[in-house]
Each structure stands twice: as structure tokens, then as C-alpha cells.
Amino acid sequence: MNWRRWNNIIHRDLGYFLVAMTLVYSISGIAVNHVADWNPSYKRQRAVLTIEPTLASTKESILADVLPKLNLKADDLRNSFRPDPETIQLFLEQKSYSIDLPTGTVIVEEIRPRPVLYELNQLHLNAPKGIWTYISDFFALSLIIIAITGMFVLKGKNGLVWRGIWFVGAGIAVPVAFWVYYLNS
Amino acid sequence: MNRLVSLFILCSLLLATGLSAEKKFGKKITLKEKTKISDILANPEKYNGKRVLVEGPITEVCKKRGCWIRLGSDKEFETMTFKVEDGVIVFPMEVKGKTAVAEGVVSVVTTSVEDQIDQGKKHAKETGEEFDPASVKGPKTVIQIKGEGAIVK
């Protein structure tokens, strides 16, 4: 078997193997690229309610007063905290209430991970650390191999030395031209 | 097609086994004795530069990058920021309201008016809340923990 056949086998099978990883990084790449415009991992909903103002002063008495007003039970709470004398925060699973006690204004915030996108972004940003660091290193090295072997898949008119050289050249020109433009703008 | 369905079920089972009530972030916790957040806030200079282990409810999480959490003190009306290096630890939003046991080094930094305005604008952009630069009256001393590791439960 000549070298080109091995080249093509590596390019083909590595390509199949990396379909999922490529989709993880490319889909998440688009999502996190626009982090200034949206939160790519979470959907956040805010609502403002009004309840009767609370005159109680201790945390226990405040909770006893506000929980029924919000149709909540003590068991629903994950935690509660008073960041300042006029506010109490109630934390539930994926939901939080910030209550301004003198006015009774309640800000309800619900945060839910975006299905699929959350998981993809966590992997892309290497949140798990540990072994995922080495898996993503393997992916990056494999992409280098795919890029190099890809140039030698075909020979003749559609191979690297004819058609391919123009496309490879154009692909190099895009980042180089942009960087030159970026430095001078 | 059956092979694809089997693969999907296998992936789902693997994901389900990865879920647990307690989650670790960053480096392993090395300290055993906890320091009260209220003690650090009462005597910041004493703790400046020292490694501490603190515990408190997570009252806020960095919405964009998960690069900090705010911990409620053992005393009411006090919080402390546990700041981690961007990308080194990423706190997911769903840890909000859970309790964190967190280790790091106390940092006491006095921030100028200009820096406070910059930070306020950045925070407002992240949270969608309003920020009035006129609310900054003078230099402010910020006491926070440069976070290295945490367990959220």
C-alpha cells in the first residue's frame, strides 16, 4: 500500500471519529463568540411582582411573613440571605426571589440552562478540566493531522499542486490579511 | 438507526452517572479549619495575603463567564466575592443559592473612583441592572478572596 492510500485512510477514519467533537466545538464556537450579545449557556427570565410590604425585622419572622405571600413553603427553599436590612433573597432550584421589604417589590429571576448548548459550551470552555483537557488536546492534534492529510487526498488536476494550491493560499491569506488590517486600523 | 439510538441511550446514561449533589471546582481544598467571613471583613489587614477556607451561601454568580461567586457571610448584611481566574474555574449559574466551602487567598485592594465606575459599568452590562456613576463617592477598599478551589453542595 502506498503512502497516499494510508494518508486517505487516516484522513477518512479520523474524520468520522471526530464528527461529534467537531460539532461540539464549532456549534459552541459560534455561540460563545457572541457572548457580548447574549448568554450562550443560560436562558434568564426576570419578572417583577408586588406583595404587601413586610414590617418584620428578624430573618425568621420575615420568612414566616413572605413565604405564604409568594405561595412558597419553607421546604422549597435552598437558602435565604439578607444582603442588606431592606432586602431578603430567597433561593430555590433554578429560581431566586429578591424582595425589597419596605415596598414589597419582588424580583423573580429564573435561570435555566439552554438545552444541548449548555453542555456543548461547558465542554468547549473546558469547565470539566481533568481528563477533558487531554481529550481536547487530542482533538486539536487530530485536526492538524486532518488538515495536513486533507491536502494530499487527491492527485492530478484537483490535487494540491494545481487546484489545491489556490485554495490553500486563499485560506492562508484570510487570517494574514485580516491581521494586517487589524494592526493598521 | 438502532445503532444510533443505542449510542444515544449510552451517552445519556453516562451523563446521568456524572451528576452528583456535591461538586468540586478548581484545586483540592487543603485547609481544614474554616474562617468566618465576618472575621475577615472585620479585620481585613490581619487576613490580607493569607490563605483561608470560608463557607457561605452563594448569593450571586458571574453571569457571563462564571468567574466569580458572591458568598453570604455568617452575619447578615455582609457578602464577600470569591474571584477566580477567567477560564480556570467556571462556576455554573445553577450553583446560586447553594452553599460553598471555598479556599483562596484574601486580597485587600483599594479601588479608585475611575476603576469603580469602569467596574460598575461592566457589572451593569453583565447583569442588566442600572448603574449611576454619580453613586461613586470616593475610593473604596475591596476585600475579596482570590479563589483556588471550592466545593459546592
Side-chain angles (χ1 to χ4, degrees), chain A:
Chain A
M1 211 169 356
N2 65 19
W3 69 268
R4 195 183 295 277
R5 186 157 165 70
W6 277 113
N7 177 84
N8 292 0
I9 288 170
I10 291 168
H11 185 79
R12 180 194 66 200
D13 291 348
L14 207 51
Y16 282 140
F17 185 65
L18 295 177
V19 164
M21 291 282 281
T22 306
L23 290 174
V24 165
Y25 278 88
S26 55
I27 293 170
S28 169
I30 295 169
V32 299
N33 219 13
H34 300 276
V35 71
D37 305 314
W38 75 317
N39 190 321
S41 296
Y42 297 95
K43 197 173 181 183
R44 190 165 67 120
Q45 287 181 313
R46 273 164 75 97
V48 180
L49 312 172
T50 307
I51 58 171
E52 284 290 309
T54 303
L55 300 172
S57 57
T58 65
K59 189 175 167 184
E60 289 69 28
S61 57
I62 292 168
L63 287 174
D65 187 48
V66 299
L67 288 178
K69 289 175 182 170
L70 293 165
N71 290 321
L72 296 173
K73 293 173 191 160
D75 290 345
D76 297 333
L77 292 185
R78 195 187 242 183
N79 241 322
S80 60
F81 186 70
R82 294 185 72 192
D84 59 68
E86 296 187 341
T87 311
I88 191 161
Q89 293 172 298
L90 311 178
F91 302 105
L92 288 77
E93 194 79 28
Q94 295 187 329
K95 206 178 209 183
S96 65
Y97 294 75
S98 180
I99 307 166
D100 185 65
L101 301 171
T103 63
T105 304
V106 185
I107 297 171
V108 188
E109 189 178 69
E110 195 166 358
I111 291 167
R112 291 191 181 277
R114 295 183 191 276
V116 184
L117 213 45
Y118 168 81
E119 286 81 9
L120 301 187
N121 293 339
Q122 289 289 298
L123 292 175
H124 189 154
L125 299 171
N126 194 14
K129 306 283 182 235
I131 197 166
W132 185 255
T133 306
Y134 302 105
I135 294 172
S136 52
D137 282 351
F138 165 76
F139 172 62
L141 286 168
S142 300
L143 282 184
I144 295 170
I145 293 169
I146 285 180
I148 292 168
T149 54
M151 290 191 292
F152 302 103
V153 165
L154 299 175
K155 55 184 177 181
K157 264 189 149 182
N158 287 323
L160 178 66
V161 289
W162 294 99
R163 182 188 176 92
I165 199 83
W166 295 104
F167 279 94
V168 172
I172 293 169
V174 170
V176 171
F178 175 78
W179 190 250
V180 172
Y181 163 78
Y182 175 71
L183 287 179
N184 294 295
S185 61

Side-chain angles (χ1 to χ4, degrees), chain B residues 39-53:
Chain B
D39 285 346
I40 299 169
L41 294 173
N43 303 290
E45 290 309 325
K46 179 185 164 190
Y47 289 98
N48 192 12
K50 288 195 177 154
R51 180 178 297 276
V52 292
L53 180 68

Side-chain angles (χ1 to χ4, degrees), chain A residues 129, chain B residues 25-27 61-62 65-71 81-92 102-105 122 144-151:
Chain A
K129 306 283 182 235
Chain B
F25 296 90
K27 290 181 185 170
V61 183
C62 170
R65 299 185 189 280
C67 61
W68 54 262
I69 51 175
R70 195 151 287 143
L71 298 176
T81 302
F82 184 81
K83 174 76 179 84
V84 295
E85 275 187 55
D86 288 5
V88 176
I89 295 176
V90 181
F91 288 110
E103 184 174 320
V105 177
K122 197 177 166 188
Q144 63 178 17
I145 296 174
K146 288 184 178 172
E148 293 177 2
I151 297 171

